[in-house]
Amino acid sequence: MNISIDVKETNRLVEVKVGGEIDAYTAPRLRETLFPLTEKESVTMIIDLSDVNYMDSTGLGVFVGVFKNIRSNNGQFQLRGLSDRLKRLFEITGLADIMDINSQIEGGI
């Protein structure tokens, strides 16, 4: 069970590339990395999940918290590179209706 998290921060744009598995064991590390970045006003966070091969409900919880923090600080949040399996996970939980998992934000990865 491993995870890789690569963060690039430029002004108010935060690009994150996540790889590996997001589960009960790795989610705390992801949360600790992402949450401090959500506190800035009007930040745009783009998270690339194209190298994530597994995610459970703990991972969904991290992304819900990140999404809420960014929105409360007038920012934008986007997930990119979701496999069909991950996209389906967001769809069946209803998160695909409130989170941006498809469109492109200018700049970024």
Side-chain angles (χ1 to χ4, degrees):
M1 320 244 179
N2 58 17
I3 188 169
S4 63
I5 308 166
D6 181 35
V7 178
K8 294 178 187 168
E9 194 174 358
T10 311
N11 296 323
R12 286 185 279 185
L13 175 63
V14 177
E15 299 171 284
V16 182
K17 175 90 170 165
V18 182
E21 300 178 356
I22 306 172
D23 57 23
Y25 298 101
T26 60
R29 182 168 162 224
L30 183 62
R31 180 182 291 111
E32 290 167 7
T33 302
L34 297 182
F35 267 67
L37 302 169
T38 67
E39 299 298 321
K40 298 178 182 178
E41 187 70 21
S42 301
V43 70
T44 296
M45 182 176 284
I46 301 170
I47 302 176
D48 182 350
L49 300 177
S50 57
D51 291 336
V52 171
N53 51 40
Y54 175 81
M55 182 168 64
D56 66 11
S57 60
T58 314
L60 286 175
V62 170
F63 291 121
V64 168
V66 168
F67 173 77
K68 286 182 176 182
N69 278 5
I70 288 176
R71 293 299 293 262
S72 70
N73 289 309
N74 302 309
Q76 293 184 353
F77 176 79
Q78 180 186 103
L79 296 172
R80 286 189 186 167
L82 279 74
S83 66
D84 289 341
R85 187 176 189 163
L86 288 182
K87 192 175 279 191
R88 179 85 176 119
L89 188 59
F90 279 86
E91 289 170 352
I92 62 175
T93 57
L95 293 173
D97 296 332
I98 61 169
M99 290 182 182
D100 183 353
I101 63 170
N102 293 310
S103 69
Q104 300 291 323
I105 296 174
E106 274 195 39
I109 301 169

